[in-house]
Structure formats: structure tokens, C-alpha cells
């Protein structure tokens, strides 16, 4: 509990204790009135203050106002009747504060889990200066510097290990509890905790570009995207409060006037009391609190599983997804190609690989990374100029003054190069051309991620009707993956713009339902933005994809798509339960109150009770380990 919450708790206790002697009939009246007054002020002074401030700012119709009018009204009624029945006025305030306290503890708890995620922010980076370790701000470290990460420290920046082996705890990023073993040459991402060994890391980007910064930015922006259900509440409140206040006023005035007109006694105090009860009941606290809290808890729960959802509106869309479209390379497959063979090349193997690595030296495509790795030697980038990357095709550039191209048959056709088809029907073919002459092709192959099969099955199990793959790769490689994963459909040889066309076409089909697109590459960014929900691979994915996506999977596991859908469904179910439950109880109490069947006590219990239950229910959205 925070200091503020403790203070409220003490006030509740003191106020309740003061009520005991106030109820002793042996005490003289004035003493009891003093005790009641003290008890009322101890518990309610801040609400009174807020209500009066509200009146001064002409924003009268909030809950503090409702509480103040209702309690002061009850006190006035007691004074008129010269009775000492002041328990109700104090109790209204007392239970209201108990409810508020409860809610603030609950909200604090779910904020806590989000800030546990925030805890990934590294405080410093170690650099070596004249043999001594110096701590510097991660923001000051230049890309390409060497930093040291000691056991137990957070990795401050993304980079590649130069020296050392260790195991990393990635749980705060991916929800994966098993440590990951890393050694020289492996990439490490910021925010992981280095557990066992000393690592020397060469940074690959600045702090702003690091995984940690990106996650923090995502999380910080998440709550600003309101979902339809949340908007519903704020629209609802704008109509609800004036209607209720009008209703209360009508209840206080109309029946007595009608009765008097009919020659009966007006019973003013009875009807004013009912109107006041009506006001207390009407307070829509449970609704107002539990719905955003439910979404907040859902976002928090998902992020603990390594699923970053950029706004609560996407939870709502995710819960309705019926079609999931996957990109192939890097999404369903590992995106780590191995060079299997080189065919038809007039050049030496080494020479061809060097050309391939050089022409690809500026690309971030998984193919280019693999070619650079197959070449394996240091690259002198100054030998490369005029690099042009053609999405869904390949790259061409000037290498040592020669025009070199690497890519698929489409690129070769575009450049007017006579190419040879590859006789083998597995894998992906990278055709090469030097100065317009065909220079052979490199056969590379990629394998399906070990989790992809289970991912597709899980989607089917949770009721996704259509699982489709769109890829820029050629048909043979695509077809193989489709068969292996038993996908419903697959379209290959697509340019980035073709992917958008396909998705558009699917979106226009009413059977599709909500469509999620899952991808990793720069070429996927337009589709990610176009789909109802775009889901990007966070670890291997390109920045453009992460930027354009609505949901980011931190560990690139396609299985998390089904998990995200299940989390979203659970969250939406909880939110809906709360709306229905809170409104139903509210309506019932309002009717009973207007009929005089429920007094203020019942009203308070109903209100605080509904709120407590709704908040507890909302918190459930955070527990998603086994959904
Ligand atoms: P996917 O949609 O499966 O992720 P892409 O659209 O990224 O595939 O690429 C489609 C095809 O374009 C690849 O299979 C490859 O033949 C070719 N290609 C794209 N980028 C490159 C590159 N940098 N080097 C060589 N070939 C490339
Ligand atoms: Mg891809």
C-alpha cells in the first residue's frame, strides 16, 4: 500500500470508531451530534472539497457531487425531523471510501505488473576506459562501441557478443522462463538479464533504436488507444449522469405535488429520501472503473507473455479474428537460409559468394543475411555503390564498378538477363548476374520454425476458420511449406503490393471476418497496416514492420498468435460480463430505490459490492498464463 492509501485506511478506521460512541443513547444529544459530525468530516472532507470545486468549475455532475448531495440531504432530513439518525450519511461516505481504496489498490497492482515490464529499462552501460570500467548513460553509447555486461546486469543496448558465453534471462521480454544460452557471435537484445558470464558486446545501434526503447514506447502509448467499449462508457456517462439527476429531482418533486393536488399529505421527506437514495445508487462507479481496468489488465497480462498489444482497441479486434494470414520467410520459417548448392556459374564459388555478399551488404532481408554469413569474411563496403533493393525481387548494385544483381527470376527478367531455371524443386533460388551476363544461381534453403506446426493447429483449435500464407518466394518453396503445415491456402510469387491486393480481396469477402496479418519484413509493412490487426515479429522483424504493426510478438513465435487471440477473448468476455452485471444490478437497485423498497444502506452495499466484484473480475484478465 502506498502512503496515500494508508492514510485513507486510517481515516476509515477512525471514522468507524467514532460511530460507536455516537450511537450510545446514554450520551447527551449535543455530544452525539459532535461525534457524528467528526466521523462524517474525517471520512468525507475530501469528497466535499471535490464536490464544491466541481460546482465552482461548473462540472457538477460527478460522483463526488452525487455523494455530497445525498449525504448532506440525509443530514438535513434528520435535522428537520429532529432525529439523531445520522448513521446513514456517514455510512455512505464510509463505504464509498472503502470502495475507492479497494479500487486504487487493485489498479496499483495491475500497474505494478506493467511497471515490472518497465523494469527492463537499463540504467547504465559499462565501457572500458584505460583498463577500468566506467558506467555511462546507455543513451551516450555510440553504435559500434564495445560494452561489458557483467553477470546480473541488464543488457543496455542491442549488440553482438565479441567475447564470453552466458545464459540470458529473457522472461521480461518474451515471457519465456527458460534461459537462453549465448556465445560469441550471437546477437543479444537489450532488456534481457545476463545471468552467468561476463560478456563483451559490440553494440549494433543507439539506445533510441534498441529493443528496450521500442518496447517502452509501445507500452507507454498503449493506453491512449481506446477501444469501442471504453468509448461506449464515456459516451454513456455523458448521458447517464444528467438523466439520473433529472430522475432524482422528479422523484423528489412530482409524487408529493401530485399527492397534494389530490388532497393528500405531501410526504415530502419520504420522497426526498427516496430521491437521495436514488442518487447514491445511481453512481456508476463499478462500470466506470472496471472497464478500463479490465483492458489494462488484459494488456498487462499479454505483455507478460511477450505479446505487446499497442492499444485496447486491438484486444477487441483480436478477439474477433477469423482469418489469419501469414508471411512465409521469417514468420513461419526461420528466415535463416543455408547455402546448399551453386549451379551454372562461370565463376569460382568464392568469387560468386563474394559478389553475392557484397551486393547484399546493405539489405536487411533474411536472404541477404544468410549470403553474408555463407561468405563469412569481412566485407569492404566501400567497394559497393548505388545499391537498389527491389521489394519481392532482390538487389542490384555496383561492385568494383561492375553491375551485380542478385534475386529471383522476376528480377532477372526485369534486367533482361537470360537465366537458367534451377532443376531442383526445393528451396529458394538466388540468381546472379554480373554486368548483364548470367553468373549462375545459389540454391538456399530455409526450414519451418519448430513452433509453426503447433501454431497453426492452435489457431484451428481456437476457431480460426482460415489460415493462409502469402509469400514473395517462388511456388515450389511455398507449396512445400503449405503441405507441411496443412495451411488452407497459399499464394506465392507476390510483390509487396500484391500482398496488399490479396488482403484487400479477402477483406471484401464477408466470410473472412476480422483478418490478422502476421509478418516480419519491410515488405510486409503495407499489409500490416492494411489488415484489421497487424502482428509483427519483434526480435528478428524489421523496424518498419514493428512500427506498422498493432501487435508485436517479442520472441517471433507464431504460436503466440493463437495465444494473443485467446487472451483477447478472455479480456473481452470479462469486460462484457462487467458491463452486463453492473448495469443489471444498477437498474434493479434504481427501481427498488424509486419504489422505496431499498434504502440507502442497501444502495451502498449494492454499489460497493458490485464495484468490488467487477474490479476483482477485471483483475482476472491479467492472469493469462494458461488461457
Ligand atoms: P516473403 O514474403 O516470403 O517474406 P519477400 O517478399 O521478402 O518474401 O521476398 C520474395 C522473394 O524476393 C524472395 O524469395 C527472393 O527470391 C527475392 N528477394 C527479396 N529480397 C531479396 C534479396 N535481398 N536478395 C535476394 N533475393 C531477394
Ligand atoms: Mg518475410
Amino acid at each position: 500500500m502506498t502512503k496515500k492509501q494508508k492514510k485513507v485506511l486510517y481515516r476509515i478506521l477512525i471514522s468507524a470508531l467514532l460511530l460507536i460512541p455516537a450511537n450510545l443513547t446514554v450520551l447527551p444529544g449535543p455530544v452525539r451530534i459532535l461525534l457524528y459530525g467528526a466521523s462524517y468530516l474525517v471520512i468525507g472532507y475530501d469528497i466535499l472539497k471535490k464536490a464544491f470545486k466541481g460546482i465552482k468549475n461548473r462540472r457538477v455532475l460527478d460522483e463526488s457531487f452525487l455523494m455530497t448531495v445525498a449525504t448532506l440531504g440525509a443530514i438535513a432530513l434528520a435535522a428537520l425531523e429532529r432525529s439523531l439518525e445520522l448513521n446513514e450519511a456517514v455510512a455512505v461516505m464510509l463505504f464509498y471510501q472503502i470502495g475507492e481504496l479497494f479500487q486504487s489498490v487493485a489498479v496499483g497492482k495491475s500497474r505494478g505488473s506493467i511497471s515490472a515490464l518497465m523494469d527492463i529499462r537499463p540504467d547504465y552501460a559499462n565501457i572500458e576506459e584505460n583498463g577500468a570500467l566506467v558506467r555511462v548513460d546507455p543513451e551516450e553509447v555510440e553504435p559500434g562501441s564495445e560494452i561489458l555486461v557483467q553477470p546480473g546486469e541488464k543488457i543496455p543496448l542491442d549488440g553482438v557478443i565479441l567475447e564470453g558465453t552466458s545464459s540470458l534471462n529473457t522472461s521480461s521480454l518474451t515471457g519465456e522462463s527458460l534461459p537462453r544460452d549465448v556465445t560469441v557471435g550471437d546477437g543479444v537484445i537489450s532488456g534481457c538479464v545476463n545471468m552467468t558470464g561476463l560478456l563483451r558486446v559490440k553494440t549494433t545501434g543507439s539506445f533510441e533504436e534498441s529493443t528496450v526503447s521500442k518496447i517502452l514506447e509501445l507500452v507507454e502509448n498503449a493506453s491512449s488507444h481506446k477501444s469501442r467499449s471504453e468509448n461506449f462508457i464515456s459516451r454513456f456517462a455523458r448521458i447517464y449522469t444528467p438523466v439520473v439527476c433529472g430522475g432524482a429531482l422528479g422523484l423528489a418533486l412530482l409524487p408529493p405535488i401530485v399527492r397534494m393536488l389530490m388532497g393528500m399529505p405531501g410526504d415530502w421527506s419520504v420522497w426526498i429520501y427516496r430521491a437521495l437514495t436514488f442518487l447514491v445508487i445511481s453512481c456508476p462507479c463499478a462500470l466506470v472503473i472496471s472497464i478500463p481496468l479490465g483492458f489494462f489488465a488484459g494488456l498487462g497480462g499479454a505483455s507478460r507473455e511477450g505479446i505487446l498489444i499497442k492499444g485496447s482497441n486491438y484486444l477487441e479486434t483480436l478477439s474477433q479474428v477469423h482469418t489469419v494470414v501469414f508471411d512465409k520467410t521469417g514468420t513461419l520459417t526461420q528466415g535463416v537460409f543455408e547455402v546448399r548448392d551453386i549451379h551454372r556459374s562461370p565463376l569460382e564459388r568464392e568469387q560468386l559468394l563474394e559478389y553475392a555478399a557484397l551486393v547484399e551488404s546493405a539489405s536487411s532481408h533474411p536472404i541477404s543475411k544468410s549470403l553474408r554469413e555463407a561468405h563469412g569474411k569481412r566485407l569492404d563496403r566501400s567497394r559497393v555503390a548505388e545499391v537498389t533493393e527491389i521489394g519481392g525481387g532482390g538487389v542490384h548494385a555496383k561492385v568494383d564498378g561492375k553491375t551485380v544483381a542478385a534475386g529471383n527470376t522476376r528480377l532477372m527478367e526485369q534486367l533482361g538477363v537470360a537465366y537458367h531455371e534451377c532443376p531442383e524443386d526445393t528451396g529458394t533460388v538466388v540468381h546472379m548476374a554480373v554486368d548483364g551476363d548470367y553468373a549462375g544461381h545459389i540454391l538456399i534453403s530455409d526450414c519451418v520454425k519448430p513452433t509453426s506446426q503447433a501454431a497453426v493447429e492452435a489457431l484451428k483449435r481456437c476457431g480460426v476458420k482460415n489460415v493462409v500464407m502469402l509469400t514473395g518466394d517462388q511456388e515450389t518453396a511455398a507449396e512445400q511449406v503449405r503441405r507441411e503445415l496443412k495451411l488452407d491456402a497459399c499464394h506465392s510469387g507476390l510483390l509487396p503490393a500484391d500482398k496488399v491486393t490479396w488482403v484487400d480481396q479477402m477483406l471484401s469477402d464477408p466470410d473472412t471476418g476480422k483478418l490478422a496479418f502476421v509478418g516480419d519484413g519491410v515488405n510486409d509493412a503495407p499489409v500490416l497496416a492494411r489488415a484489421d490487426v497487424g502482428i509483427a515479429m519483434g526480435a528478428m522483424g524489421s523496424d518498419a514492420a514493428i512500427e506498422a504493426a498493432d501487435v508485436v510478438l517479442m520472441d517471433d513465435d507464431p504460436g503466440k498468435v493463437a495465444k494473443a487471440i485467446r487472451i483477447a477473448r478472455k479480456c473481452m468476455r470479462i469486460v462484457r460480463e462487467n458491463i452486463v452485471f453492473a448495469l443489471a444490478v444498477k437498474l434493479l437497485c434504481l427501481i427498488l430505490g424509486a419504489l422505496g423498497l431499498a434504502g440507502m444502506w442497501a444502495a451502498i452495499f449494492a454499489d460497493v459490492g458490485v464495484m468490488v466484484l467487477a474490479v476483482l473480475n477485471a483483475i482476472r484478465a491479467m492472469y493469462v498464463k494458461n488461457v
Side-chain angles (χ1 to χ4, degrees), residues 499-501 503-505 507-508 515 517 524-534 548 550:
K499 289 191 182 180
V500 179
T501 315
V503 165
D504 268 335
Q505 200 178 325
L507 283 172
S508 63
L515 182 145
F517 182 85
D524 296 324
V527 218
L528 284 168
R530 187 68 192 81
D532 293 316
V533 240
D550 310 312

Side-chain angles (χ1 to χ4, degrees), residues 327-333 335 365-366 470-472 499 517-524:
D327 161 59
K328 181 177 81 74
T329 318
T331 304
L332 286 174
T333 68
H365 198 275
L470 297 182
T471 176
K499 289 191 182 180
F517 182 85
V518 195
D520 69 315
V522 181
N523 61 333
D524 296 324

